[in-house]
């Protein structure tokens, strides 16, 4: 399966080029949260999306009746189709699928609607409350807006959602159920309620005095992840369909592996046994060996248990090469975009092999494993044909993608 389009809205701004440019420059998108009252919370930082007006991309009527996560997903889908040079017309529509998920959904709408209902009763609720708060909203709105009539689903696997949606899109195309699939995820959980809930779970960094240094994957000084908003949608096509229309190809989604820890609701298995199985399944699915992998985009959240377990898995799977090949976490710069993370990071991994540039892990001042190449602080030039992108989520969800540079195209 080939990738022909990228669509991203991230804390860096709208569009893939803006996000990629900032990532390879080692720029942090984490800042103090503005525009809402978080003064009473222990966490007051995050990766906010600012200066984003969905009406620049979408009809005003659509924006009014949909939620913030849907806005992000819709704009990313529009951007991805534009980037792919693809129009979903009546002839193509039955062969176009959608797998776009969200880890949190429209939680802010539920909170506000619940408060309004408690204060003013039935008539305080919008007629769109019921339809806009369902978990399927992001996928259904994307399908409705672009006219996709093939299989569609909102797949939710917590923080692995974006990667799961890309992997399942690949499977849809392999099975011949679609020629084209829009795949990815979207979330905006930067609300007082969501920040408070995540802080109560002791998942978030509390480095409020230095936002740019708060997300510290693989660094011994890490104290939790940084929550961010974002969306990422990729256009996946069968090779035959892409070739028939002369599409520009970024690369291939070559393999996908999934597993479940079945260990703890919030903590990963300390040895990462199920994660290792997902990595090996993805490699087997792609028909590549560990020795062929030249870059790993790590899940790397900056939480103590996750990073330690992921290091163990990388060392077991890749052996001696684990200490030489680049392994980086771009969450050190974007923060954790939750359901969008795996999709955006699939693009990052693909661009790393396509361009020969491995983006850095910033804030990795004192690495937990000093022998490994975490691409600390600055991007590195590195030629590779195959990359792995890891995504893990609460509930023990694991999704691993293998991305490959176009075999007949040089970066």
């Amino acid at each position: 399966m080939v990738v022909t389009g990228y669509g991203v809205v991230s804390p860096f701004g709208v569009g893939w080029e803006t996000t990629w440019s900032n990532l390879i420059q080692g720029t942090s998108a984490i800042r103090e949260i503005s525009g809402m009252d978080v003064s009473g919370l222990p966490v007051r930082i995050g990766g906010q999306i600012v200066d984003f007006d969905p009406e620049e991309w979408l009809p005003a009527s659509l924006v009014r009746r949909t939620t913030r996560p849907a806005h992000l997903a819709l704009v990313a889908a529009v951007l991805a189709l534009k980037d792919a040079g693809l129009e979903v017309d009546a002839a193509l529509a039955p062969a176009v699928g959608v797998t776009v998920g969200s880890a949190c959904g429209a939680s802010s709408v539920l909170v506000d609607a619940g408060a309004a209902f408690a204060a003013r009763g039935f008539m305080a609720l919008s007629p769109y409350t019921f339809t806009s708060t369902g978990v399927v909203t992001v996928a259904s709105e994307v399908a409705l807006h672009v006219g996709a009539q093939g299989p569609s689903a909102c797949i939710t696997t917590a923080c692995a959602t974006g990667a799961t949606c890309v992997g399942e899109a690949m499977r849809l195309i392999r099975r011949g159920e679609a020629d084209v699939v829009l795949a990815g995820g979207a979330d905006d959980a930067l609300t007082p309620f969501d920040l408070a809930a995540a802080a109560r779970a002791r998942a978030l960094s509390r480095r409020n005095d230095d936002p740019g240094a708060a997300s510290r994957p693989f660094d011994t000084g890490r104290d939790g992840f940084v929550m961010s908003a974002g969306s990422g949608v990729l256009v996946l096509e069968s090779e035959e369909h892409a070739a028939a229309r002369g599409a520009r190809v970024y690369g291939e989604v070559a393999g996908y592996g999934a597993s479940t820890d079945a260990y703890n609701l919030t903590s990963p298995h300390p040895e990462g046994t199920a994660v290792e199985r997902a990595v090996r399944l993805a490699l087997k699915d792609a028909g590549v060996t560990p020795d062929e992998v030249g870059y790993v985009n790590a899940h790397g959240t900056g939480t103590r248990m996750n990073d330690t377990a992921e290091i163990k898995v990388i060392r077991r799977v890749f052996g001696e090469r684990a200490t030489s090949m680049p392994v980086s976490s771009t969450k050190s710069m974007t923060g954790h975009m939750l359901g969008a993370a795996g999709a955006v990071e699939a693009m990052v991994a693909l661009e790393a092999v396509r361009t020969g540039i491995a983006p850095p892990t910033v804030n990795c001042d004192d690495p937990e494993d000093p022998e490994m190449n975490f691409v600390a602080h600055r991007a590195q030039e590195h030629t590779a044909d195959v990359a792995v992108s890891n995504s893990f989520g609460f509930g023990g969800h694991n999704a691993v993608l293998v991305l490959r540079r176009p075999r007949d195209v040089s970066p």
Side-chain angles (χ1 to χ4, degrees), residues 358-372:
T361 306
V362 302
N363 303 321
C364 192
D365 299 326
D366 184 20
E368 177 178 344
D369 187 335
E371 293 184 343
M372 289 186 64

Side-chain angles (χ1 to χ4, degrees), residues 9 18 30 43 57 99-100 142 147 154 171 173 227 232 278 281-282 288 329 365 393 404:
V9 183
T18 297
I30 310 306
V43 176
W57 306 92
T99 54
V100 177
V142 167
C154 178
R171 289 177 173 175
I173 296 173
M227 194 129 75
L281 285 170
V288 302
S329 172
D365 299 326
R404 182 163 28 209

Side-chain angles (χ1 to χ4, degrees), residues 60-354:
S61 58
L62 176 59
V63 172
R64 283 196 299 271
R65 72 166 179 78
T66 51
T67 63
R68 176 77 163 187
H71 299 163
L72 296 173
L74 285 161
V75 172
V78 168
L79 291 170
L81 285 172
K82 181 180 179 182
D83 188 46
L86 187 64
E87 180 181 353
V88 182
D89 57 19
L92 181 59
V96 179
V98 174
T99 54
V100 177
S102 177
C104 294
S107 57
S108 62
V109 176
L110 284 169
V111 170
D112 293 344
F117 179 69
R120 305 191 303 278
F122 167 74
M123 292 303 293
L125 297 180
S126 162
Y128 297 114
T129 300
F130 187 63
T131 55
S132 65
T133 56
V135 71
V136 301
T137 299
V138 289
S140 57
E141 291 290 1
V142 167
L144 180 63
H145 184 61
V146 306
Q149 297 177 355
S152 67
C154 178
I155 305 169
T156 299
T157 52
C159 299
T161 292
T164 300
C165 288
V166 172
E168 294 301 330
M170 180 192 74
R171 289 177 173 175
L172 282 176
I173 296 173
R174 275 185 180 172
R175 294 196 299 263
E177 296 177 35
D179 292 330
V180 178
V181 182
L182 301 180
D187 265 309
D188 189 349
L190 284 178
T191 70
F193 175 82
D194 289 300
L195 285 166
R200 284 287 288 159
R202 295 182 294 181
L204 301 182
S205 170
R206 302 192 180 194
R207 202 182 289 258
N208 296 303
D209 58 337
D210 192 1
S215 186
R216 311 182 67 82
F218 305 117
D219 185 76
T220 58
R222 63 190 184 271
D223 68 328
F225 74 85
V226 177
M227 194 129 75
S228 295
S231 61
V233 172
L234 300 88
V235 176
L236 272 65
E237 298 186 53
S238 68
E239 292 184 31
E240 297 77 12
H241 188 271
R245 70 182 189 88
R248 178 229 28 236
V249 172
Y250 284 120
E252 303 175 30
V253 180
Y256 167 52
S259 66
T260 308
D261 286 358
Y263 173 76
N264 184 277
L265 188 62
T266 58
S267 298
H269 190 286
E271 297 301 316
T273 50
V275 167
E276 180 179 353
R277 187 164 62 254
V279 175
R280 294 191 185 279
L281 285 170
L283 294 172
K284 181 180 179 181
D285 189 43
V288 302
T289 66
D291 287 345
E292 294 177 80
V293 176
Y295 169 68
V296 174
N297 186 277
H299 184 58
T301 57
T303 55
R304 292 199 175 277
M305 294 184 69
N306 175 88
D307 289 6
T308 298
E310 189 169 14
I311 289 170
K312 291 179 180 178
V313 170
I314 291 170
R315 275 192 168 273
R316 289 200 302 269
V317 171
F318 296 103
E320 292 181 0
R321 296 186 62 254
T323 58
S324 58
M325 74 175 174
V327 176
S328 65
S329 172
T330 44
K331 289 185 181 74
S332 62
M333 296 171 281
T334 64
H336 195 340
M337 294 180 284
L338 305 180
V344 176
E345 289 161 14
M347 299 178 209
V348 170
L350 201 51
E351 284 298 285
V353 294
R354 194 177 77 90

